Structure formats: structure tokens, C-alpha cells
Amino acid sequence: MSALTFTPNGIYCPAGDFHIDPWRPVKRALITHGHADHARSGMGAYLATDIATPVMRHRLGDINIDTIRYGEQRQIGGAKVSFHPAGHVPGSAQIRVEVGGEVWVASGDYKVVDDGLSTPFEPVKCHHFITESTFGLPVFRWQPQAVIAAQINEWWATCATAGKTAFLGCYALGKAQRLLSMLNPDVGPILTHTAIENTNSIMRSQGIALPDTVRADTDLTPKDHPGALVLSPPSALGSAWARKFGAQETAFASGWMALRGIRRRRAGDRGFVISDHADWPNLLSAIAETGAENIYVTHGYTEIFARHLSEQGWNAQVLQTEFGSDEEDAA
Amino acid sequence: MIQFAQLFNAIDQSTKTTVKVAALTEFFRTAPEGDRIWTIAIFSGRRPKRAVTTTKLREWAAEVADIPLWLFEEAYPIVGDLAETIALVLPEPTTTNDQGLTHWINALRGLSEVDEPVRKAFVLEAWASLDPTQRFLFNKLLTGGFRVGVSQKLMTRALARATGKDEAEMAHRLMGDWDPATVTWAQLIEEDDPAASASRPYPFYLAYALEDAPENLGAPEVWQAEWKWDGIRGQLILRDGVHYVWSRGEELMTDRFPEFARACDFVPNGTVLDGEILVWGDEKPQNFNALQARIGRKTVPKKLLQSAPVILYAYDLLEWGGTDLRAQPLAERRETLEALCADLPADAPIKLAPSLPFDNWQALADIRATARDAQAEGLMLKRRDSPYRIGRKKGDWWKWKLDPLTIDAVMIYAQSGHGRRANLFTDFTFAVWNGNDLVPFTKAYSGLTDDEFRKITAWVKKNTLQRFGPVRSVTPHHVFEIAFEGIQSSSRHKSGVALRFPRMARWRQDKPVQEANTLDDLNNMLALYG
């Protein structure tokens, strides 16, 4: 029997009787990170990294959750389990499962470059590697974070000079905090939508350093904050709440902004290409570094990516999962 | 290319008209003359001839990117644009190049003269020296189809601002047959050149669709009603003993419709007519299907000239005796037009499109209901005292089309869209029931909101049965109401019918798949309306 198997409930370890990121309620779930398509409600018991846990509690409410540190080894039934940094968002992990000498790694979502906020990605040697393929096409290649930061700050400064509020749309968990760390506070005040500020507070209370922000709730008077940049979930861009700020420019920060069609459909005025997922070269390098022979390709351009891996000599196959359901917003 | 790339970025990065016009105005004030002319040409659909096939471009791009060709081909429909796909897969540039737009266009124009290895070397060198935006624009010039969110109207406005000239005059100057390779800025924009202006059509006046009841338009007496024809909108120009036929899309179609050569025998010089090009037979206009045989044919065989002869069904007179009549009220223009047409022999290729007398709005609604019998799409309403305006303007002209025909159909194939809709499944094939089988009968790709397209895209990804390149067959489950303007029998389609302007009117999430319409229903519609 394999260390990990694939069932209608999700990825399952028979030796340890647990699931990884299951999409249906199960007894025991090991969670790679807190995004909604990986950490779902209704599990009997959860296990996640100590860094990921506070946000999961906030999102999932009163759950039975145990924590584990990166690199800590734990025996669950017949399986040896450890969590390793995935670099996707703070606390995100690749889950290593070893049964009878056979090593599997379920990587959840990952990126290889250091974003300055999440614990950087660490390659883990294994025989079987489960990889995402959100940006598994050769058209996706990210520029260095500093280049994008300069673009965003320049755009913000231009907005501020023109007397406009700069609205930057992004995902509330992970991307928002990464963007915060990239912003130049000298340009002006940074305001945040409540959904984002809630996550910020949780991260600050667990000791993650973030720049000062002002909660832009209904009590806030927009004209008291000239030249502001407002971080907002994409759904709130252009809403009644956003319109209160008067003259504004809107932008959207996501890996999908690399494609002009999507940029024009989603972005309003500007699109900044920044993602918490690995780009094409990094997907390939990460896979190579695992030393694994068997690659299971989940959410993204699965068939194309698996075919390419097969041609490059891997034993690659597509794995149908329910991850990445909200990919355009999350990426 | 740097300045042109900056212009493109400014336009592409904004959704605001004011920002785009400002960027264009600045460009027309400061760019070198050649670059200005080519920019006008590009944004008005005049591009250099394609010098490299897209097949070669794909091969070269895959080679430079060091990826297999199939992988490039898979990425292309997802990106939705060939020029962009190439720009994205290529490695970072290794050198820089500060040549301007005109240099690149001239180089491309020379490219069809040289052998393929030289061509390839040139393209690869360009790719290696241009940054991603410039590279994308270079590829756009190579492949054609330059849609970047700049309408002719915006460009005309910017040109008028940059030169201090009148917008209407500028619009007229940019019409017609000029060659960006030889024209000078002075000729195109500044000088008065009678020879160049002889072929020049007037900008077309276009109507908006009537959304409210016509009662809201006020008294019926001030309106003129006509059938709305389903042909090719065109202008017939007779000046200096030569005739020109222009389509609404500003395409010179004189050679495609040799029938109009005889117009010179009947209509004096200095005449410009606006009307609909239609196939004429049995003393009446024929449906669009008949015209289809003529569309796209640059040379017309004699047999086709006899079986599908065209006429101009004239409904407006823009120039008479060399005088621009557009400022006159429609009623006066119409009077002159009627007098002109009254003198024409029965076999002239020009006929007067009738106006439809009516006393009250209800009477007009009754006339509209019979539009299909008259081979018309509905009615046009034109204010009798209105001038002939430029472009699409609300108020004086309205189209009041028939309600479309509709049928409930099952989605069986899905394909992703292009450009703005890349990465969304937007192009669907629909089927109706024939017993227990589903027979495909039409494709449709418009009518849903972005949000609905997102939902259906997520569904398609989870319910794919089989993939054929970019096309996926999906579980027959969703029913859509398909609206269309007409139905014809067709031997080219499995179902035996072809629809005119099919689109998705509604996603019938309330309707189980078994309750979609049948092939019999479709055939009944064909018998009724075909």
C-alpha cells in the first residue's frame, strides 16, 4: 500500500489514518496552509504549523487544532510526519509523510523565492512529490520582487500627486501582508479594508512585523488621509465603500496580471504581476530538487504540465483535486 | 519603438478615455512625422502586409524559448494572443535597440523581399533586442490585428487637439484610401488636396438601438420610418467620372461589386449615396444568405453576377452637385434623393429604399411585426429635421429591431476565448435533441456577463469529458436560451440549419437538460421563418 492514496475525500494516508487538505469532512486533517481551498471547515481534528494556526482559528472558528513546528517529526500511526516551509504565505507547509522508507511530500501551494515575510521554501528530498501547477506554463516568469515593489510605489506616488486614492486589490491572507512589506511608507498613509486588517492584527499579535496601517472602516473620514493607498479585497473595489474615497485609481496584484486579457478584464487601471505561487522555471527547479521520480500534478494547468514532465523523464500524472477553486483571486 | 511603447502602455494601462486621449495628443505633438503617420495607420486598421507566416513565428519562438512546439501551442489559446504568447515565452533581451516605429515598419515591409533565413535572422535579432512591451508591439506589427482599446473616434479627437483642427474634418481626412508609406503629414492632415479627396467617403452616421417604447420619442409626424435592411451598409461615390464603393468598415469594395460601374451612366458627378448593398431578385431584396455568396469574393464570376446581382438600396444623399448636404435636414435630403431616383431606369443598380408611412405608433408596431416577410431586421426611425451626423450618436436615429427568435439548447462543447476573455470558457457549441441524441446546430460566444462566464468556466473545468486541443466536450447538463435573428437551411451543418447572429440570451439554470428543444422544433422554425 502507498504511503499516500487519493480518495474522494482528498489525499489520504492509510498508515496514519489521516487526510491532507481534505475537501470533505474527515476525522483527522493535516493542513498545508489557511487558504479556503486547503483549510476547510468540518474536520474532526486539525494539525497545522504553529504559524498557520492563528489565522485558521480566525477563519474556521472553534476547531480542534494541534500545532507542529517546521522540521519537527511526529509519529502518527504507522507514518512519520513532518512539516517544511513552502514559502507560499506565513505558516504554509509542505507535508512530508514517510511510511516504511517510502517518502511522499504534499506541497500544497508553494513559491521558491523569498518574499521577506514567509519562512522561505526548503526543498525536501522524496520519492513521490505532489505539486501544484497554478502557473505551470512557460509564459509565466516572475520579475524580482524589488522590481514590482518599485512599480507599485511609483504608481502610488503618481496617484498621490494627482490627488487620487490608490486602491490596490489583493487576496486578504498572504498577498496583502506581502504587499504591505513592499510598500514605501514615505509615499503616504496605508489604509486597509477590515477583512485585510483582521488578518494583519492576527499576524502582528503572533510577532510578524508589518508596517503601520489604518483600518478603513465606516468610521474613517477619507479626506483625512490624502495620498493614501488602500489595500482591499478584489470584491470591494468599486463598491459603495470604495466610492466614498472620491477620485481614485484601482489596481490589482496577482500572477494572473501577466496576461493582458485577464489584466484588462480584472484590473481596472493597473495590474501588477506578483504571485505567491511558483512560476514556470521555479516549478521545474523545485521538482528537480526533490529528487522524486513520481510527480502528481494538482490544480492548475495539470494536463499540460504533467505531459511536459513526462517528456522530461519524470513519471508524472494528473491528480484531480478540489484545490484552486478560486484561483484568479487567490493567485 | 520606445516612444510608441510608452504610448501603448499609457493607453493600455488606463480605462479612462481622458487619459488615452491625452497620451495620444502628446504623441501626435512630439513624435517624429513618420511615427505619427504610422500610428494613425495602425490604429485605423491599415497595417503593413504580413511578411512572416504565423506558423513560422510559432516555430521560431518555441525554438528560441527552448520549449517543444506542442507546449507553445497549448499556451497560445490560454494567453489568447499570438503576439503576446511569443513575447512572454522568449528569454529576457540581451541587447537594446532605440530605433523608432518607422524604422521597424520599413524593415518589416522589406522582409517579404528576402529569403527565409534572412527573415528569420531579422526576427530573432529583433526579439533579442526589444523589451517585453516593445517585443509584443513588434509581434503585433508582424501578425496584424492591432486592437488596443483605441477607437478611431479617440484617435481623431486626439489628432484634432494636437493640430488645432476640427474633429469632423479630421474624421473625413482619415477616411478612404491613403497609403501610410507614401503620404506625408502635410498631405494627410494639413493640405487641401482635391485628388486625394475624390475617393474619400463621409464618416457614417450610426444608430443606437431603441430601448424604450417608441411612444417616448414624441409625435410620430416628426419621424421617418424605413425598414432596417440586413445587407452591407455602403456609400456609393461618383466624382470626376469615377465611382467608389465603401463599406461601413471603411473598406473599399468597388471591385467586388462591378454592378456599380454602370451607376455613372445614370447619376451625375458629385454624388454620394448612403444605403444598403443587397441582392436583388424577383423585384425585391433577397435575404442575407443570398448576399453571403458575394461577401469575401474579390473577383466575381459571371454566373454569380447573374444569380446574385446586387443593388444599392439608397436611403440618404450626402453629396449632390459636389455640395456636402449633411447639414441639411433629412426631409430635404430625402426630397432630392427621391427626385434623383425617380429618373432612374428599372435596371439601374440604384433603387430608392422606401419610407414607410404611419399615422401612429401602434400602426408602426404592426408594420414592424411583418419585417421578416419584407426580408428586414426591423425598422429604422430617423428624425425628419436631423442632419447627417458622424459616428454613433443618440437622439436622431434609432434602430428598432424585431425581437429575436429563441430556442433552448444544450451546451456540449466549450472553448476558451481570446484577448480580454482568454482563460475563460466563452465559446460554446449547442445542441438540440433528436430522439436520445444531441445534434449540434450552432456556436455562440456572447450574451453572458463576466460573472456568468466565470461560473461556467469553473463548471467546465470540473465536467470535461474529453479534450480536443483547445476544445473540450462537457457533460450535457446546462441549458441556454439561444437568441438569433434568422434561420436558413444549410448543407454544411449536420443539423441542416444555419442561424444568423446567434448569442446566449439567458442561462436557463431552472431548466433540466431533458426539456431543451428538439430538432423538430428547429425545423418548424425553419419552415416558418427560413
Side-chain angles (χ1 to χ4, degrees), chain B residues 186-207:
Chain B
Q187 287 163 346
L188 183 64
I189 301 298
E190 281 156 3
E191 283 168 12
D192 208 25
D193 177 5
S197 57
S199 73
R200 211 180 266 162
Y202 291 101
F204 284 84
Y205 181 17
L206 308 172

Side-chain angles (χ1 to χ4, degrees), chain A residues 141 260 265 269 311 327, chain B residues 13 70 84 88 90 420:
Chain A
R141 279 177 304 166
R260 184 167 166 257
R265 189 167 74 229
D269 298 300
E311 287 190 1
E327 60 196 40
Chain B
Q13 288 174 354
W70 72 262
E84 187 185 353
L88 289 172
L90 296 175
R420 208 179 79 88

Side-chain angles (χ1 to χ4, degrees), chain A residues 136-141 143 164 248-250 256 258-266 268-270 280 301 303-305 307-308 311-312 320-322 325 327-328, chain B residues 8 12-16 67-68 70-71 74-75 78-79 81 84-85 87-92 136 147-149 419-424 450 454 461-462 467 472:
Chain A
L137 283 183
V139 295
F140 296 110
R141 279 177 304 166
Q143 291 189 280
K164 292 177 178 175
Q248 55 190 268
E249 297 257 328
T250 58
W256 294 109
L259 301 187
R260 184 167 166 257
I262 298 178
R263 192 161 73 234
R264 294 205 302 159
R265 189 167 74 229
R266 296 295 307 275
D269 298 300
R270 284 294 293 273
W280 171 261
Y301 296 105
E303 288 94 350
I304 300 171
F305 192 56
R307 179 177 167 193
H308 183 69
E311 287 190 1
Q312 302 295 308
Q320 292 299 339
T321 65
E322 293 186 17
S325 49
E327 60 196 40
E328 277 199 29
Chain B
F8 169 77
D12 197 49
Q13 288 174 354
S14 182
T15 49
K16 296 187 179 72
I67 54 172
W70 72 262
L71 184 54
E74 287 282 357
I78 292 163
V79 174
D81 183 292
E84 187 185 353
T85 311
L88 289 172
V89 299
L90 296 175
E92 297 280 304
F136 168 70
R147 268 195 253 160
V148 294
R420 208 179 79 88
R421 311 202 304 180
N423 231 17
L424 282 183
D450 276 359
R454 262 200 290 281
K461 284 181 180 169
K462 283 190 185 148
R467 292 174 54 133
R472 297 180 179 210

Side-chain angles (χ1 to χ4, degrees), chain B residues 206 404 478 486 501:
Chain B
L206 308 172
H478 285 297
F501 290 137

